[in-house]
Amino acid sequence: MEQQRQTVLAAVEDAARDAFVELCQEPEIADYVAGLDAAALHHLQQAQHLHFARLLTEEDPHVRDSHSCDLGKVHQRLDLPADWLVLASGLFSAHLRRTLMPLIQVMPEWEQRIIRRLANDLVLQLRTMRRLEAEEEQIIERIDLLLLSEPDEQQLLQRMLKKIVLIPGIDGAWIGKPMDGKLQPIAIAGERMASYLEQVDIRIDAGPMAQGPMGRAWRSGQPVAIADLQSDPLFRPWQETLQSTGGWRSSMACPIQIAGAQQALFGTYSCIPRYFSSPYRRRRLMQLARMLGIALEKQDQRERLERSNRLYQIFLSEGDILMRSRSPQAILRRTCHRLVENGLFRTAFVVQPDASGHFVPISAAGVNSDRLSQARIPVDQRNPPSLLATAWNKRRSQYHNRYRDDPTYQHLEPLFAEFGWESIAIMPIFHRSALWGLLVVASARLDYFEHTLLSALARMAKMLGFGLDELTLKNQIEAEREEQSWRAEHDLLTELPNRAAYLTRLPQAMESDRECLIAVGMMDLDDFKPVNDRYGHAAGDWVLQTIAQRLRAATREGDLVARFGGDEFALLLSELHSMDDLERVLHRVRDAIRSPITLVTGQSVQIGASLGITLYPLDEAPAEILLRHADQALYQAKNDKSRRERFFRLYDGIEEVSLPEIPGPQN
């Protein structure tokens, strides 16, 4: 057991390292990793390794679940995208199963252990992240309500900041307006924030005191984030005061525009390094800043956020779809239905080119989806042009928010009118590194698709491809396991069961068929060696294959014909009610063997056979001894070949006259 544990731990270390390297090659993740120093990168890799090791070796499910939830909290505060976690888990699973393949082949339950524990870990992390994000969303919603209902500007800003510092990770916030080259605080929230601002001089004009995030944001008109205030050289003038008051590690400043003009700055602080490095965090704070000046933009942002949240719900459920689905069709069908069932899209479908060079839907859901096959859109993007063809040939995502109004695609206007589409987005699906299909979603609204939605759709298409890869790998492993299982119990030349299969079946027949006789037979082919010597081994193989087919046809359903090797065959004939039943079957066997066999060359050969038989329960020996008795009878049959009347012989320990007539159906 300890050796097995060490094997698993070594495999986890190798798989975690390889998965981490491959994960860091993803463009978005590579950009994130590029911002980390060597120590942080090493810590991140070690943390991933230790997490996976604990996940697979910890036997207490409560400890595992608690650890997964805690890790989900960390990932939410660092704002790691959910698809990164899905990708990391999938890569680790693939590498680990490849590394542990020798163990899995011996102990297949390890594969299920890996799949279940990684899946449960992923679900718990995503669920925790979703819960925390939902809490953050609730805070943002309260701020939004304040912006709509609070008439007093000062009270509005103050109450808004008090809500903002409730967001996990944000420990201080303030809003300042320029006055004589300096920023004058007009609203403050967070412990020690007021004390810090009383002791520092923050300017926006020029000089060392204007090089902090607030001064740079004012001059550039763009948000500025500081990953680590303690190490940033431009923040040196305030570091001593920072240590004695707030102890914050990261900061972000956002311009606030009111009526189209920059009039204030919004600063936030966190005790977590790199907290504001996430694009999502930056967008969130910029959103809060815009709320103060542009009410219409706030309303539009709320609608976009609602769409993103709905798609994110679908994205979270996609992991469950991939884990539960057993075929590509099931994955695509469930995904398309999820995309349309909550009203996010009017139609969702996946297409592939057919042999005639036209796109055909292989899965679809939504309004008029059953009529998509009637739309014959060619893969050739020149005649006539289409966004589908462009996406396929360029192997890149495409979208159009006013497709029907574009004269380039005027020939498709009737189709879009019929289906009620205004905007469309198309995402390529790559399976095993090759372009496999296109995920298409359509909306009845103009200008529906924006960056956030498109990014989420692209991630979903990538996740679909990853799911197809995983499903293919699982199917290959299962097929290989079935093939190995079949080979273990069959003769490869004749495809008959082998000795191992026969010895498994014989005790079962002895146990279940107590009311009738069971014939255990060993048979050798007569005059087979001259065929091999004269016509060659290929001809001999052909004879053996032909005999195997004839024996299967001559015996009854429920009987067993096996090949033990060379020209040696074994018979297991059950449900025999009399000697007549036995002889009828054996006469068919004799005739099948004696019939001439035409070789591939056109020549004809004829062979015979010798058969030894014992009958259970008249011969009450164990299974192995029954075979030995049948073999002894075979030896006698071969010795008597020149003077025997029939090609088979009963074991000497059985008197033929003692066979009773047992009522039963005729064979």
Side-chain angles (χ1 to χ4, degrees):
M1 183 66 69
E2 178 60 25
Q3 182 179 2
Q4 183 185 101
R5 183 175 182 273
Q6 293 302 321
T7 299
V8 172
L9 287 175
V12 167
E13 183 176 5
D14 292 341
R17 180 186 63 251
D18 295 340
F20 187 81
V21 171
E22 187 172 346
L23 184 69
C24 291
Q25 293 174 356
E26 290 291 316
E28 292 184 5
I29 300 177
D31 292 340
Y32 178 85
V33 170
L36 301 176
D37 57 32
L41 187 62
H42 177 73
H43 173 77
L44 185 60
Q45 184 175 5
Q46 287 298 110
Q48 184 189 50
H49 167 219
L50 292 175
H51 169 64
F52 285 133
R54 179 183 298 180
L55 191 64
L56 293 173
T57 57
E58 174 60 57
E59 296 303 325
D60 189 336
H62 299 292
V63 174
R64 292 198 307 268
D65 292 352
S66 176
H67 180 66
S68 295
C69 293
D70 290 342
L71 196 60
K73 294 177 182 178
V74 173
H75 288 157
Q76 194 276 338
R77 293 190 179 184
L78 292 176
D79 194 40
L80 297 183
D83 58 322
W84 291 12
L85 305 184
V86 173
L87 182 58
S89 180
L91 289 173
F92 174 73
S93 173
H95 282 286
L96 181 61
R97 281 185 285 162
R98 281 197 295 268
T99 305
L100 286 179
M101 186 55 65
L103 177 62
I104 290 175
Q105 289 177 342
V106 177
M107 304 177 65
E109 64 272 17
W110 263 99
E111 182 176 22
Q112 294 302 316
R113 178 191 185 107
I114 293 169
I115 293 174
R116 284 196 301 269
R117 291 200 178 182
L118 289 179
N120 185 65
D121 170 62
L122 185 61
V123 168
L124 288 176
Q125 286 198 53
L126 294 178
R127 187 180 297 163
T128 301
M129 293 171 66
R130 180 180 172 186
R131 176 178 58 80
L132 293 175
E133 288 168 2
E135 293 175 1
E136 184 173 326
E137 289 297 332
Q138 291 177 355
I139 295 174
I140 301 302
E141 289 174 3
R142 295 191 188 103
I143 295 172
D144 196 4
L145 290 175
L146 285 175
L147 293 173
L148 292 173
S149 60
E150 181 59 59
D152 183 76
E153 180 187 11
Q154 181 61 36
Q155 288 298 317
L156 170 63
L157 296 176
Q158 191 62 46
R159 295 182 63 183
M160 171 186 169
L161 293 185
K162 287 183 178 180
K163 298 292 185 185
I164 289 175
V165 295
L166 294 177
I167 296 175
I170 298 182
D171 303 297
W174 67 291
I175 297 174
K177 284 189 173 182
M179 182 178 296
D180 299 328
K182 298 174 57 176
L183 277 180
Q184 179 67 37
I186 59 173
I188 303 171
E191 188 178 1
R192 298 187 296 274
M193 190 79 252
S195 174
Y196 171 74
L197 292 174
E198 288 174 358
Q199 301 178 49
V200 297
D201 182 19
I202 301 177
R203 304 191 62 85
I204 58 173
D205 46 11
M209 306 305 291
Q211 300 306 311
M214 299 294 269
R216 282 183 279 165
W218 181 265
R219 292 191 301 276
S220 66
Q222 299 294 325
V224 174
I226 304 298
D228 193 341
L229 296 174
Q230 292 183 5
S231 60
D232 192 312
L234 296 178
F235 202 79
R236 189 171 292 114
W238 304 277
Q239 286 175 354
E240 183 177 349
T241 306
L242 182 71
Q243 291 294 331
S244 62
T245 52
W248 303 298
R249 294 293 303 274
S250 57
S251 176
M252 182 169 178
C254 294
I256 297 176
Q257 292 195 351
I258 301 174
Q262 181 174 288
Q263 298 187 18
L265 284 172
F266 170 39
T268 50
Y269 298 78
S270 173
C271 294
I272 302 173
R274 299 181 59 83
Y275 180 82
F276 301 104
S277 299
S278 159
Y280 172 79
R281 295 286 182 209
R282 297 184 185 188
R283 289 195 300 271
R284 172 67 78 197
L285 293 174
M286 291 165 59
Q287 173 197 358
L288 291 172
R290 287 195 301 269
M291 285 180 179
L292 298 170
I294 310 173
L296 292 177
E297 185 178 2
K298 175 190 65 65
Q299 183 178 2
D300 179 65
Q301 180 67 21
R302 188 168 60 241
E303 292 179 358
R304 292 183 179 184
L305 185 60
E306 181 183 353
R307 290 201 297 268
S308 298
N309 284 339
R310 277 189 284 171
L311 188 57
Y312 184 59
Q313 300 291 332
I314 299 171
F315 188 79
L316 286 176
S317 69
E318 191 69 13
D320 181 64
I321 290 175
L322 297 180
M323 287 187 289
R324 293 177 180 271
S325 299
R326 297 183 178 272
S327 68
Q329 292 75 17
I331 291 176
L332 300 177
R333 182 177 65 255
R334 292 178 182 177
T335 299
C336 290
H337 278 282
R338 290 285 178 90
L339 287 170
V340 301
E341 66 185 3
N342 63 358
L344 190 60
F345 302 106
R346 184 175 179 86
T347 313
F349 54 99
V350 176
V351 297
Q352 287 180 328
D354 64 6
S356 67
H358 292 81
F359 289 107
V360 293
I362 57 175
S363 186
V367 178
N368 294 331
S369 58
D370 57 332
R371 291 153 56 188
L372 283 169
S373 57
Q374 302 173 13
R376 303 286 292 171
I377 299 178
V379 177
D380 187 346
Q381 66 186 77
R382 296 167 297 177
N383 186 29
S386 71
L387 216 57
L388 274 177
T390 301
W392 182 266
N393 288 286
K394 292 188 175 182
R395 303 164 62 89
R396 294 200 305 266
S397 60
Q398 302 288 324
Y399 78 99
H400 204 308
N401 277 322
R402 294 177 178 266
Y403 205 22
R404 292 174 61 182
D405 297 337
D406 192 328
T408 305
Y409 308 110
Q410 193 62 37
H411 59 284
L412 293 174
E413 198 281 332
L415 176 67
F416 271 63
E418 177 185 357
F419 286 94
W421 299 341
E422 295 289 351
S423 303
I424 188 171
I426 305 166
M427 302 292 157
I429 301 172
F430 291 91
H431 174 33
R432 307 189 79 174
S433 302
L435 182 57
W436 182 84
L438 298 174
L439 172 64
V440 187
V441 290
S443 171
R445 295 178 56 183
L446 294 167
D447 303 318
Y448 191 73
F449 295 100
E450 37 80 27
H451 175 73
T452 304
L453 201 59
L454 292 170
S455 296
L457 285 170
R459 291 172 181 173
M460 180 166 289
K462 183 183 293 185
M463 192 172 179
L464 274 175
F466 172 73
L468 294 172
D469 290 346
E470 283 291 291
L471 186 62
T472 298
L473 178 61
K474 287 193 290 187
N475 291 340
Q476 288 175 343
I477 293 173
E478 183 62 28
E480 178 66 21
R481 184 181 295 117
E482 292 176 358
E483 173 71 14
Q484 293 299 328
S485 176
W486 186 90
R487 285 172 173 265
E489 294 190 340
H490 287 81
D491 171 56
L492 299 184
L493 176 63
T494 63
E495 298 186 356
L496 290 176
N498 59 14
R499 178 185 286 271
Y502 189 97
L503 291 176
T504 300
R505 175 80 175 274
L506 177 55
Q508 296 172 353
M510 295 167 62
E511 181 67 26
S512 63
D513 200 2
R514 295 180 178 273
E515 299 297 325
C516 301
L517 297 173
I518 299 173
V520 177
M522 293 292 295
M523 184 176 71
D524 278 355
L525 300 181
D526 297 335
D527 306 318
F528 175 71
K529 186 175 184 299
V531 174
N532 257 340
D533 294 342
R534 181 176 180 182
Y535 300 104
H537 290 289
D541 289 347
W542 175 260
V543 169
L544 291 173
Q545 291 170 334
T546 303
I547 292 297
Q549 294 173 1
R550 291 180 178 181
L551 288 176
R552 276 196 293 254
T555 52
R556 306 160 303 166
E557 183 178 356
D559 292 339
L560 179 67
V561 179
R563 181 186 178 217
F564 280 11
D567 62 348
E568 186 179 31
F569 293 83
L571 301 179
L572 179 59
L573 309 177
S574 56
E575 296 188 7
L576 299 171
H577 298 273
S578 68
M579 190 65 180
D580 289 342
D581 288 352
L582 174 62
E583 290 194 353
R584 274 192 290 270
V585 177
L586 295 184
H587 287 166
R588 293 198 298 269
V589 169
R590 177 200 62 194
D591 294 343
I593 294 173
R594 288 181 177 177
S595 297
I597 298 173
T598 303
L599 302 178
V600 177
T601 59
Q603 296 162 303
S604 180
V605 297
Q606 189 170 15
I607 61 174
S610 297
L611 174 65
I613 293 283
T614 190
L615 295 171
Y616 177 85
L618 300 179
D619 182 355
E620 295 186 299
E624 286 279 3
I625 304 302
L626 288 176
L627 273 176
R628 189 180 304 169
H629 289 170
D631 199 51
Q632 293 172 9
L634 169 63
Y635 180 77
Q636 292 296 326
K638 293 175 73 72
N639 284 342
D640 297 340
K641 183 167 60 172
S642 61
R643 59 182 181 273
R644 69 191 182 193
E645 295 180 359
R646 53 190 183 185
F647 83 108
F648 70 91
R649 177 173 179 133
L650 284 175
Y651 171 56
D652 286 342
I654 299 175
E655 292 292 337
E656 185 174 326
V657 294
S658 69
L659 291 175
E661 284 288 341
I662 303 174
Q666 295 297 307
N667 294 285

